[in-house]
Amino acid sequence: MFIATNRLFVPAERAEEFEAHFRDNMRTFLPGVPGLLRSTLLKPTKDDQPYVSVNEFESEEHFRDWVASDSFREAHKRNRGIARHVTGNAVETFQHAEDMVLPQQRTE
């Protein structure tokens, strides 16, 4: 698995519009991307923290193919609407090292 993240700093007063625009882009451009397993937008719990976009791909090759695709270019052309909300960002990539999924624990 190959994971690409993007930390997006958004002022609190622009958060609602940013989320709506980002969510629309995800739903419009990500379905059907070959090798994309999951896409998540994480919302900060504090004003000084960034949003984090997490995209999980089957492989680095799938990620690179997506970045080179027309779909990626079209989505990011539309991101100009999002960009006015973002005051900074940082893209990071990772190889999967370990995963642990726990069964749901019952508490009574």
Side-chain angles (χ1 to χ4, degrees):
M1 184 182 321
F2 187 79
I3 300 164
T5 66
N6 192 357
R7 296 162 40 93
L8 301 149
F9 292 88
V10 178
E13 65 273 10
R14 296 183 179 166
E16 188 175 325
E17 189 177 353
F18 166 80
E19 286 179 35
H21 197 103
F22 200 97
R23 186 173 24 255
D24 181 54
N25 260 14
M26 287 174 72
R27 292 175 182 174
T28 301
F29 294 101
L30 295 181
V33 169
L36 180 62
L37 301 171
R38 181 179 181 148
S39 184
T40 305
L41 179 63
L42 303 175
K43 183 177 182 172
T45 57
K46 297 178 183 169
D47 287 344
D48 63 339
Q49 294 175 320
Y51 282 84
V52 179
S53 169
V54 181
N55 292 292
E56 299 174 14
F57 288 86
E58 290 177 11
S59 68
E60 184 174 354
E61 182 179 0
H62 282 106
F63 168 73
R64 302 247 176 251
D65 288 348
W66 173 62
V67 170
S69 73
D70 291 338
S71 177
F72 180 88
R73 281 188 291 282
E74 186 63 30
H76 286 79
K77 187 184 339 177
R78 277 192 77 207
N79 279 355
R80 291 183 188 126
I82 290 175
R84 63 191 168 95
H85 302 296
V86 178
T87 60
N89 78 305
V91 175
E92 300 168 314
T93 57
F94 303 89
Q95 293 287 340
H96 182 263
E98 180 64 32
D99 201 15
M100 183 171 77
V101 178
L102 300 173
Q104 190 164 4
Q105 309 262 337
R106 289 185 65 172
T107 57
E108 295 181 352

